[in-house]
Each structure stands twice: as C-alpha cells, then as structure tokens.
Amino acid sequence: MGKAEARALSDALFERLAALEPGTHEYSYVRGTIIELNMPLVRFVAAGFRHRAADMDDILQVGTVGLIKAVDGYDHRRGVEFVTYAIPTITGEVKRFFRDTTWPVRVPRSLQELYLTVARSSDRLEQDLGRLPTPQELAEELGLAPDQVAAGLTAGRAYRSDSLDALREDSPDEPGSSLLDRLGACDADFDLVDFRESVRPLLQELPERERTVLKLRFWGGHTQSEIAARIGVSQMHVSRILAATLRQLRERLDDAGSDGARRPAPTG
C-alpha cells in the first residue's frame, strides 16, 4: 500500500472511529488498525535518532507510545492531516525519553536540542566531505556562531560519556591507552605524613635505649637478634622492649587524638 492510499484509509478510519463508542470491541479494533497502519511514522521519526546512544528497540517503543497519544488526541474535523499532527507528537515523546532518562549528566534542554542539531548536520557533512567536518564548517552550515557549535559539541560529550577503561586513540604520547592508565595513583606515603608528624615528638621523649631499638628495627631494618647483639641484651628482651614501647606510643597517640577531639575550635 502506497503512502497516498494509507493516508486515505487512515482518514476513513478516523471518521469511522469518531462515530463509535469508546470501550467497545469495534472501537478498539478500528483504533488498533489505525495504529498499525501508521507505524511507518514511528520508524521514520526513530531514524532521525539513530546516532543517539540508545537501543533502537527502545526508541521504537517510545515512539509507538507517541503514536498512540497522537491517535487518541487527533480530531479529523479540524482539517489538519494526521501526519502533520502525529510526527511532532511522536518526536516530542522520543525527545522527552532522551531528556529524562539517557543523559548521564543533567544538561539544559536548549543544549540538548543544540547538540541534536549539530550532530545531524555533522552526519550530513561527513557524507559529503568524506571526513569529519570542522567546527567552523558546522557553524557555516548551520548559520550559527562558532561558540554555539562548541557548546553543542560539549553537550554531546556529556551525553556520550566514555568508560575509564575505553581505549583512546587521540593521545599522541600514549596511543591506545585508556584514561584509567593515565590517571595518577595515590601515594601511599601521604597516609603516613600525619602519623609521622604525630609520632616525632613522642619519639624524642623516649629513653635512649627504646629510641635506639625502634630506629634499628623500623628505620634500619635490623632483626631482633641483630639488635640484641648490638645493644647487649637477649632477643627476648628486645621483643619485650618493642612491645612495651609500641604500646606506650599507641596509648599516647590515642590520648592525643581524644584531647584534640574535645578541644574547642579557635575563635576569631
């Protein structure tokens, strides 16, 4: 069936639908026939969103909801063709779907529409030029200022968020690397800075022997037996010195932390 025949049949069915009682079997049958007859409109609108990062089945499903709303809201007595009424209704439903559900970052609707316009123009120019168009070429094609095109492209980046593991080919220094590979790693020594600064004055208050044992064990990397031979005591005695000294430092650190938590914040 051609487009002209389909439109003529739709008009006849809409006239028939207007004469039927809603909720009856015949009303549901005629209404369903109109929807089936106009499904090509849904596919036509959905094709305009094929570059969006969404499954085409989802777009078709949302577009079908828009078609159903158009069928239910259409009044053939107003003299407007159903196609003229249905396409904006279907398109609006699909756009609301993308606006409300598919943007990882919330972007104003005006920027979403600008991105859509720039993306469609970019697709057309890429086919004509055989390469990606430049922002300046896009601006000339659309009659927009370059900063408007840049805003649309920026909005597109918010829509098409990439995984940190996705390989990037746009880095001349590290081609084929992922963003995750180029992120800085946490320096484990940073976690020790506060601890070292807290312990430093406590170490100065220790007796010479205890301080020497700690330095040999944790800074010098000596074993307990080596430390015992160096200071002239048994290995068991070195073990007791380490245990007692570490326990004392831990208790004093805990006390210092509690005092700091209770200490009122300075004013002025």
Side-chain angles (χ1 to χ4, degrees):
M1 182 183 298
K3 292 181 179 179
E5 292 84 356
R7 291 183 181 181
L9 181 55
S10 288
D11 292 340
L13 288 173
F14 271 115
E15 290 183 8
R16 177 61 179 162
L17 188 67
L20 297 174
E21 184 70 23
T24 63
H25 175 74
E26 188 175 2
Y27 181 92
S28 298
Y29 176 77
V30 174
R31 176 175 177 267
T33 302
I34 295 174
I35 293 171
E36 289 291 336
L37 189 63
N38 287 279
M39 280 301 296
L41 296 179
V42 176
R43 291 188 283 272
F44 170 77
V45 172
F49 295 89
R50 63 185 179 275
H51 61 279
R52 296 285 191 107
D55 189 85
M56 182 55 67
D57 289 339
D58 292 337
I59 299 175
L60 290 172
Q61 183 176 4
V62 174
T64 302
V65 173
L67 173 61
I68 293 172
K69 290 182 178 180
V71 170
D72 291 340
Y74 177 66
D75 186 351
H76 72 287
R77 293 169 297 186
R78 295 185 176 180
V80 178
E81 288 192 7
F82 177 67
V83 173
T84 304
Y85 177 78
I87 288 181
T89 305
I90 297 170
T91 303
E93 194 69 23
V94 175
K95 286 182 177 180
R96 280 191 292 273
F97 165 73
F98 282 112
R99 183 190 67 208
D100 298 337
T101 64
T102 62
W103 286 75
V105 179
R106 183 62 179 173
V107 174
R109 186 172 184 178
S110 59
L111 284 180
Q112 295 181 24
E113 297 295 338
L114 179 60
Y115 159 67
L116 183 59
T117 300
V118 171
R120 287 175 174 171
S121 179
S122 179
D123 289 343
R124 291 195 302 270
L125 284 178
E126 184 177 359
Q127 292 179 355
D128 295 339
L129 300 174
R131 57 173 174 80
L132 287 175
T134 65
Q136 183 62 38
E137 290 170 336
L138 286 171
E140 293 175 358
E141 173 72 13
L142 294 170
L144 298 175
D147 59 341
Q148 290 178 291
V149 173
L153 295 174
T154 301
R157 296 191 193 101
Y159 177 62
R160 296 174 177 271
S161 58
D162 294 330
S163 168
L164 291 177
D165 293 318
L167 297 181
R168 301 288 299 276
E169 302 298 335
D170 56 355
S171 173
D173 298 328
E174 301 177 87
S177 64
S178 69
L179 179 60
L180 189 61
D181 295 331
R182 300 196 294 275
L183 290 177
C186 294
D187 190 340
D189 288 340
F190 284 152
D191 296 333
L192 299 177
V193 171
D194 186 58
F195 175 77
R196 288 172 176 169
E197 292 303 313
S198 300
V199 169
R200 189 187 305 276
L202 301 181
L203 291 177
Q204 299 301 322
E205 298 174 5
L206 290 174
E208 180 65 26
R209 186 181 64 172
E210 280 75 1
R211 189 164 61 248
T212 299
V213 170
L214 287 180
K215 288 181 178 179
L216 290 173
R217 181 70 183 93
F218 296 107
W219 279 265
H222 295 281
T223 66
Q224 292 185 10
S225 297
E226 291 172 340
I227 297 172
R230 186 158 180 171
I231 65 175
V233 299
S234 67
Q235 181 268 328
M236 184 62 68
H237 193 57
V238 170
S239 178
R240 287 196 294 267
I241 292 173
L242 284 171
T245 305
L246 291 175
R247 182 172 59 253
Q248 178 184 357
L249 289 175
R250 189 178 300 111
E251 290 173 352
R252 296 189 63 182
L253 283 173
D254 290 342
D255 291 341
S258 299
D259 291 343
R262 292 192 296 264
R263 188 178 301 119
T267 58

